[in-house]
Amino acid sequence: QQWPSSDNTTDPPPGGAAAASPSPSRRVAYFNNAGMTALPPSVRTVGERALQYKSRPWDPPPHDAAQDAAAVRRLFSKLIGSSSSDGSDVAIVPSTSFAITMAA
C-alpha cells in the first residue's frame, strides 16, 4: 500500500500504522470510531502477553487471573460510584448480549 506523503501526513512506521503510538510530534489527523483507534504501548504489551497465553493455554499464566478480575471489579465499582467498595456488585461477562440474556 502506498502512503501519501505531504505536509499533513507522515509515512507509517515499519510494522504498519498500528505499530506506532500516538505522539504529539506527529502531524496526523485520524478520524474513525473508537474500535479502530491506535493502541497505547502499554495496552499493546498486555495484549501481546494475553495472546502468548492463549496460544499455550496449558502453561499457567505467571499471575492469578482471579486476582486480576477482582481488581478490575473493585476499580470499576469505584469508577461508577458504587456503594460496594469490594466490587461485589460488578459482574464481568464475555459480551453485552450475554449479559442482557442473563438479566432477562
Side-chain angles (χ1 to χ4, degrees):
Q1 176 179 5
Q2 279 297 68
W3 290 76
S5 291
S6 70
D7 290 340
N8 295 328
T9 61
T10 59
D11 291 330
S21 61
S23 169
S25 64
R26 293 179 56 113
R27 296 179 64 193
V28 174
Y30 182 75
F31 301 99
N32 203 332
N33 64 25
M36 295 299 292
T37 187
L39 295 175
S42 60
V43 173
R44 183 177 174 180
T45 299
V46 171
E48 287 171 348
R49 282 199 312 251
L51 288 172
Q52 288 173 350
Y53 169 68
K54 292 294 280 182
S55 67
R56 297 180 59 87
W58 52 86
D59 288 336
H63 63 282
D64 184 4
Q67 287 179 346
D68 290 348
V72 167
R73 283 196 298 273
R74 280 192 306 275
L75 290 170
F76 185 74
S77 184
K78 183 178 177 181
L79 177 70
I80 62 172
S82 172
S83 60
S84 168
S85 62
D86 65 353
S88 61
D89 56 354
V90 174
I92 298 176
V93 294
S95 68
T96 304
S97 59
F98 178 81
I100 291 171
T101 301
M102 295 302 293

